[in-house]
Amino acid sequence: STDLVAGVLAGAVEAALVVTPMETIKTRLVDSNAGLVRGVADILATDGLPGLYRGLSATVAKSASNQALRFLVYGEYKRRVSAAGAPLSAAQALGGGMLAGWLGAVGNTPVDMIKTRMQGLAAARYSSTLHCLLTVVREEGLLALYKGLTMRCARVVPGQGIIFCTYEVVSVRLRERLEA
């Protein structure tokens, strides 16, 4: 599906250019209780510029799978709900975006949790993303992979509903104005 491929590529590019360094900084700052300037300076002094890209493969996997799930679910929802390709109503788009956000979070939380572990201050205890995954499951159990799911859904579900609703409404209005 083009939605799946587009989502994977969008997520991978997003992860490599923006998400990995920002998530590394955020995770390390929370773990160390340091301020932004001091925290970034500590990362650069300790690990150099590559330190900002700690957990890159896990972040690419997280972002690529996250966006792939969202675009795939929303695209399929839109095909099933839309009558003969007609635009979705705002309520339909909101519902589809929320569904995409929820399924994306459920499907992607284990990857996100591993990514967070790979970027934290204790990341050195893991030799790879796979080692991190196996260690978490062995030491904490399978359900540990879903830590944070409730709070993630509280943020992602309405957020994705708003994003896709806004996208659909604005797209329809722009098309109407351009065709007029």
Side-chain angles (χ1 to χ4, degrees), residues 15 17-18 23 73 76 82 85 87 89 95 97 105 140 153 166 168:
L17 297 180
V18 178
E23 288 284 319
V73 169
E76 187 59 30
S82 178
S89 69
E140 301 173 49
C153 284
T166 303
E168 292 294 340

Side-chain angles (χ1 to χ4, degrees), residues 6-7 9 27 42 46-47 53 69 80 105 115 123 128 133 137 143 145 148 158 169:
L9 292 175
T27 302
D42 287 348
T46 304
D47 302 319
Y53 285 88
L69 284 168
R80 290 178 184 259
K115 174 216 51 100
S128 68
L133 170 68
V137 171
L143 289 179
L145 297 174
V169 169

Side-chain angles (χ1 to χ4, degrees), residues 47-128:
D47 302 319
L49 194 57
L52 295 176
Y53 285 88
R54 172 166 267 154
L56 176 64
S57 62
T59 307
V60 168
K62 179 255 181 185
S63 291
S65 63
N66 193 38
Q67 299 305 348
L69 284 168
R70 286 181 185 164
F71 284 110
L72 182 66
V73 169
Y74 187 77
E76 187 59 30
Y77 170 88
K78 189 173 178 178
R79 280 186 283 287
R80 290 178 184 259
V81 171
S82 178
L88 295 179
S89 69
Q92 289 171 322
L94 180 69
M98 291 174 75
L99 177 65
W102 178 69
L103 289 173
V106 168
N108 188 256
T109 292
V111 181
D112 190 37
M113 188 276 223
I114 295 301
K115 174 216 51 100
T116 301
R117 294 281 178 100
M118 292 294 295
Q119 291 175 321
L121 291 176
R125 86 178 272 228
Y126 308 114
S127 60
S128 68

Side-chain angles (χ1 to χ4, degrees), residues 70 93-106 149-165:
R70 286 181 185 164
L94 180 69
M98 291 174 75
L99 177 65
W102 178 69
L103 289 173
V106 168
L149 176 62
T150 301
M151 289 308 297
R152 187 166 184 219
C153 284
R155 175 183 58 85
V156 169
V157 171
Q160 290 306 300
I162 291 166
I163 286 170
F164 282 106
C165 178

Side-chain angles (χ1 to χ4, degrees), residues 9-47:
L9 292 175
V13 170
E14 172 195 35
L17 297 180
V18 178
V19 176
T20 301
M22 299 313 279
E23 288 284 319
T24 299
I25 292 167
K26 177 189 80 170
T27 302
R28 301 270 298 266
L29 291 181
V30 168
D31 284 353
S32 69
N33 201 24
L36 178 62
V37 174
R38 176 72 182 170
V40 172
D42 287 348
I43 292 169
L44 293 174
T46 304
D47 302 319

